[in-house]
Amino acid sequence: MISIQNLSVEFSAKTLLDNISYVINRRDRIALVGKNGAGKSTMLKIIAGLQRPTSGTVAVAQDVTIGYLPQQMEISDSLTVVEEVRKAFAAIDDLHRKLDDLNQQLASRTDYESAEYHRLIDDMTSLSERIAMKESENMEAEMEKTLTGLGFDRSDFCRPTSEFSGGWRMRIELAKLLLRRPDVLLLDEPTNHLDIESIQWLEQFMVTKAKAVVLVSHDRAFIDNVTNRTIEISLGHIYDYAVSYSHFVELRRERMEQQMRAYQNQQKQIQDTEEFIERFRYKATKSVQVQSRIKQLAKIERIEVDEVDTSRLNLKFPPAPRSGDYPVTADNVGKSYGNHKVFSGASFTLKRGDKVAFVGKNGEGKSTLVKCIMGEIPFDGSLKIGHNVKIGYFAQNQAQLLDGELTVFDTIDRVATGDIRTKIRDILGAFMFGGEASDKKVKVLSGGEKTRLAMIRLLLEPVNLLILDEPTNHLDMQTKDVLKQAIQQFDGTVIVVSHDREFLDGLVEKVYEFGGGKVRECLGGIYEFLEKKKISRLQELELSKSPSASSVAAAAEKHRQSQKPTQPATAPDSSADKQTAPQRKSYQEMKEMEKLARKARKKISEAEAAVADVEQRIADIESRFAAGESTEELIRQHASLKKEQENAMSLWELAVMEGEQFGV
């Protein structure tokens, strides 16, 4: 559907993307990966038509629609949530206008037998089918499903969008984008503003309803569950693998190992040949062998090893000063804003060395409780900070608070004190800001680079209680792995507010869930918490219908069976209708499947005809051979037809494989 050819992008004489070519096909779900600053967001902007490359082309097939969600966007509107989201269906009005235009063209023509007239009829039929499919859906129901899936309550639907934070307004834009159902979805870090439940809902939507997707995300669990192809951008080049991210990591390592072995073997062969030439160059008796080796050396096709990006974050928190046994003790803590109760009755104790996660929907009080611990806002109840507790706090908007006009070096120089000031260059180098990178202005840094720069503040003085509010937003996967390892090795106490399941897995041993105005403690890691939550919800759902206890157990067992690794990984959906009844395809989906099946049948038929034609021509020549006719021209034709037959058979096999996807 979209062809990227010989694409290059340069910034200030520095090459970001170098002569890149690939194709985005129907039903591709592509994870675009690479370190921060590699050019992933730039690539999406170019495909979306918002930025021009230095050279190269992006060819989009006719009538292909593209939807783009950037990392950050300026949103100004004064409508309610429902009114704003209803804009997603404005495309239907455009289709009706196009249909009216085609009707007028047909009414004014009399060349009923011409190809142009028949093309207009075909266009009109196709457009009428598209309108019928779109209008067959219950728009209000689709809006409600999408908004609730993304975390909105029904009471939010009639609230003005201006009342919502930037993160929630990004969700509104995402809802509009999903409801438009574009042919190609371009999503740049869509999970940054979503909680775990909303991410799981989005996974389910992507798997069941999305068409082609190009996704930039540093949420490994999310892209593993959604994508089937991985394109890595590294040092200006791309590496394209038709596998999920986890499989890509394995294949990439194997490819690099094989490439290095082949390179080393060839280098030894070249060295041996050069040594032979040098040793016998001036011996007349070896002149023939020497000349032969020189020619052999010239013909060798040199193996090149892909340049490896060796820059790596070197992060280690300073040793934690010893604190009291209980750094945080909360007793019946609550917080309200006027009549709005955020949460109440929060009681828990953190022991020295505990690593815990705060999870739950946005707006349920995770960051609010963090601010209570920090002493930034008043609260109800008792909250005690233990003896000798020194807090290091990374706020969710920490990166946005940086002064864009300062350089990277000046940003740290202004907050560093004492002997630390003599080590600023070393610290910046450990965070991949070495050399010229330290002189960059903050405003030109990528989101991940700004997050890394903000993280350096935590290293400027030793602490024993780390509070990290969404620390992984905008960080690439390698940097997240290093940060996770550093937190695991940190000998103090840690509170992590995060929705990143992969990051929390193996990092925390206790989870605090925020929801319904309460804070609930769950012992165990993040996946144990999610599993318990699923089973608990399923039981509540079944009990609400007053079944027997055995039916509850059977439903829970069925759910557990569906989560086995041998089954396709799909995200759970919390809505009652999806838990209790099998999914039925909508009219639109059925029409789309039928359309694709028709195309597949046509392709198979054409491929079969091509095979039959070439086989007949081969048979004709072979009958001439049998009759004793044999010339060089006839032999050449026969060899050429045999190759044509192989190609025709390959095309037929591909057509049959594609048809099997649609039941043909």
Side-chain angles (χ1 to χ4, degrees):
M1 293 193 293
I2 300 179
S3 175
I4 293 90
Q5 293 294 325
N6 305 320
L7 192 75
S8 294
V9 176
E10 295 179 4
F11 287 120
S12 304
K14 179 185 175 184
T15 300
L16 182 66
L17 303 173
D18 186 13
N19 201 34
I20 286 172
S21 298
Y22 64 97
V23 175
I24 301 171
N25 302 301
R26 187 184 300 275
R27 303 291 176 185
D28 270 352
R29 292 183 172 86
I30 300 171
L32 201 58
V33 301
K35 73 168 191 173
N36 290 125
K40 303 184 297 295
S41 296
T42 300
M43 177 72 78
L44 291 188
K45 289 175 186 174
I46 290 172
I47 297 173
L50 301 177
Q51 183 173 324
R52 294 182 64 85
T54 306
S55 62
T57 59
V58 177
V60 182
Q62 189 177 7
D63 295 331
V64 167
T65 55
I66 297 176
Y68 171 57
L69 183 78
Q71 277 190 40
Q72 303 290 339
M73 62 195 306
E74 295 294 328
I75 304 170
S76 57
D77 48 63
S78 56
L79 302 176
T80 64
V81 172
V82 164
E83 289 170 342
E84 183 65 29
V85 172
R86 196 172 280 122
K87 290 180 180 179
F89 300 107
I92 295 179
D93 296 332
D94 293 336
L95 292 178
H96 276 292
R97 281 192 289 271
K98 288 181 182 178
L99 187 62
D100 291 341
D101 181 56
L102 289 176
N103 273 316
Q104 289 177 4
Q105 290 184 49
L106 283 173
S108 64
R109 300 179 74 103
T110 57
D111 52 339
Y112 307 120
E113 300 301 325
S114 69
E116 181 67 16
Y117 189 86
H118 286 285
R119 186 188 62 78
L120 284 173
I121 292 176
D122 289 341
D123 290 348
M124 198 167 122
T125 303
S126 175
L127 201 54
S128 299
E129 286 182 356
R130 287 176 64 189
I131 292 172
M133 283 191 290
K134 288 182 178 295
E135 291 185 338
S136 68
E137 295 180 339
N138 186 330
M139 296 178 189
E140 299 299 322
E142 286 295 314
M143 281 196 297
E144 183 174 337
K145 276 186 194 176
T146 304
L147 286 171
T148 54
L150 290 175
F152 290 91
D153 291 326
R154 287 176 177 81
S155 58
D156 294 328
F157 291 2
C158 295
R159 289 173 58 191
T161 56
S162 56
E163 293 182 6
F164 291 88
S165 66
W168 282 95
R169 294 172 90 178
M170 286 293 285
R171 292 191 191 205
I172 294 171
E173 293 303 309
L174 178 58
K176 288 161 61 178
L177 193 62
L178 298 180
L179 286 166
R180 288 189 189 115
R181 304 283 175 84
D183 297 312
V184 182
L185 268 174
L186 307 176
L187 303 178
D188 196 349
E189 296 289 0
T191 63
N192 275 359
H193 304 287
L194 302 180
D195 51 67
I196 288 177
E197 291 184 5
S198 298
I199 290 172
Q200 291 177 322
W201 178 88
L202 183 59
E203 283 178 0
Q204 182 74 2
F205 181 94
M206 293 290 188
V207 170
T208 59
K209 295 185 178 180
K211 297 175 185 176
V213 177
V214 183
L215 173 69
V216 173
S217 177
H218 298 135
D219 187 328
R220 186 173 303 176
F222 178 69
I223 64 173
D224 262 344
N225 291 339
V226 169
T227 62
N228 56 19
R229 181 179 168 193
T230 305
I231 296 179
E232 180 192 27
I233 302 178
S234 178
L235 300 169
H237 303 287
I238 67 166
Y239 301 92
D240 194 346
Y241 293 80
V243 295
S244 65
Y245 179 79
S246 293
H247 196 187
F248 149 76
V249 172
E250 298 172 10
L251 292 177
R252 183 178 184 274
R253 185 179 62 251
E254 291 173 5
R255 175 178 63 82
M256 293 299 294
E257 290 173 354
Q258 291 170 359
Q259 197 175 55
M260 182 57 71
R261 282 196 298 270
Y263 173 79
Q264 290 171 346
N265 290 337
Q266 189 183 70
Q267 288 300 303
K268 186 177 185 306
Q269 178 189 351
I270 291 171
Q271 183 181 351
D272 291 345
T273 304
E274 288 175 341
E275 286 177 355
F276 180 91
I277 293 170
E278 192 61 33
R279 182 179 177 186
F280 298 110
R281 181 183 295 274
Y282 303 108
K283 288 193 177 183
T285 57
K286 297 285 187 179
S287 62
V288 176
Q289 292 95 320
V290 168
Q291 289 302 315
S292 175
R293 296 293 176 91
I294 291 173
K295 290 178 181 177
Q296 178 185 339
L297 194 62
K299 290 179 180 179
I300 290 178
E301 189 173 335
R302 304 295 175 110
I303 296 173
E304 293 184 0
V305 178
D306 294 330
E307 185 181 2
V308 179
D309 186 1
T310 56
S311 60
R312 184 167 177 82
L313 178 65
N314 180 19
L315 172 58
K316 186 176 181 181
F317 291 104
R322 186 175 178 85
S323 69
D325 290 340
Y326 303 103
V328 180
T329 303
D331 183 18
N332 205 32
V333 174
K335 177 62 184 175
S336 299
Y337 292 100
N339 295 327
H340 176 60
K341 181 179 73 174
V342 182
F343 64 87
S344 64
S347 298
F348 59 89
T349 300
L350 297 187
K351 296 179 182 178
R352 184 177 63 246
D354 276 353
K355 293 180 174 63
V356 305
F358 286 0
V359 303
K361 288 186 177 181
N362 292 352
E364 293 288 353
K366 303 186 297 296
S367 296
T368 301
L369 182 54
V370 166
K371 290 176 182 177
C372 294
I373 295 172
M374 293 293 300
E376 293 182 357
I377 57 175
F379 54 87
D380 301 323
S382 171
L383 203 160
K384 296 179 181 178
I385 304 300
H387 173 68
N388 197 36
V389 170
K390 297 182 179 180
I391 301 176
Y393 178 41
F394 182 88
Q396 191 172 153
N397 64 339
Q398 198 83 44
Q400 298 171 10
L401 300 177
L402 299 172
D403 187 340
E405 295 302 322
L406 293 179
T407 66
V408 170
F409 181 89
D410 290 339
T411 298
I412 301 304
D413 187 47
R414 290 197 176 192
V415 295
T417 58
D419 293 341
I420 288 288
R421 298 194 67 181
T422 64
K423 300 178 181 178
I424 290 177
R425 293 284 181 190
D426 294 335
I427 294 174
L428 290 175
F431 275 76
M432 297 190 290
F433 288 118
E436 295 179 359
S438 64
D439 297 323
K440 283 184 179 179
K441 284 198 172 183
V442 171
K443 65 183 179 182
V444 304
L445 301 180
S446 69
E449 288 170 328
K450 288 179 182 177
T451 300
R452 287 207 310 269
L453 184 59
M455 192 81 64
I456 295 176
R457 294 168 182 263
L458 290 179
L459 298 181
L460 297 183
E461 61 177 307
V463 299
N464 47 33
L465 173 58
L466 272 177
I467 302 178
L468 308 174
D469 194 350
E470 300 290 3
T472 63
N473 280 2
H474 309 296
L475 290 184
D476 60 57
M477 293 186 193
Q478 291 80 7
T479 305
K480 283 202 305 184
D481 289 342
V482 175
L483 175 60
K484 181 175 178 176
Q485 184 179 13
I487 295 173
Q488 287 172 326
Q489 295 172 350
F490 178 63
D491 54 358
T493 308
V494 181
I495 298 172
V496 184
V497 181
S498 179
H499 57 254
D500 191 324
R501 294 156 292 175
E502 186 72 25
F503 182 74
L504 294 176
D505 185 32
L507 179 62
V508 301
E509 61 270 0
K510 197 183 297 182
V511 175
Y512 290 95
E513 180 193 11
F514 289 68
K518 299 294 180 184
V519 181
R520 301 174 184 84
E521 181 182 86
C522 177
L523 298 177
I526 187 66
Y527 282 105
E528 288 91 338
F529 160 73
L530 289 174
E531 186 63 26
K532 290 173 187 174
K533 189 173 176 63
K534 287 181 226 168
I535 294 171
S536 171
R537 282 195 164 192
L538 187 61
Q539 290 172 339
E540 290 171 10
L541 175 66
E542 295 296 324
L543 288 170
S544 69
K545 296 184 178 181
S546 303
S548 64
S550 61
S551 65
V552 174
E557 179 60 24
K558 180 180 179 182
H559 179 79
R560 283 193 292 273
Q561 291 292 331
S562 71
Q563 298 302 307
K564 286 186 178 179
T566 53
Q567 299 298 321
T570 57
D573 195 306
S574 60
S575 59
D577 58 328
K578 291 189 178 180
Q579 292 282 6
T580 57
Q583 290 286 316
R584 294 185 62 187
K585 283 185 169 61
S586 67
Y587 175 76
Q588 178 183 2
E589 290 170 326
M590 291 172 65
K591 290 291 288 182
E592 180 68 16
M593 289 291 288
E594 185 182 331
K595 182 179 178 182
L596 292 171
R598 282 201 306 270
K599 287 185 177 179
R601 277 193 290 270
K602 183 180 179 183
K603 192 177 289 186
I604 291 171
S605 178
E606 290 173 347
E608 287 174 346
V611 170
D613 176 65
V614 72
E615 285 179 346
Q616 181 58 51
R617 284 186 284 158
I618 289 172
D620 290 344
I621 290 179
E622 288 177 347
S623 65
R624 293 168 68 180
F625 285 156
E629 184 180 350
S630 178
T631 63
E632 285 188 14
E633 177 63 19
L634 208 56
I635 293 170
R636 186 189 61 76
Q637 288 180 16
H638 186 267
S640 177
L641 285 171
K642 278 293 187 181
K643 289 182 180 178
E644 190 176 334
Q645 183 187 32
E646 289 178 9
N647 292 336
M649 287 298 295
S650 296
L651 291 173
W652 174 78
E653 288 172 1
L654 288 172
V656 170
M657 289 170 63
E658 184 178 335
E660 287 174 351
Q661 298 177 25
F662 308 108
V664 176

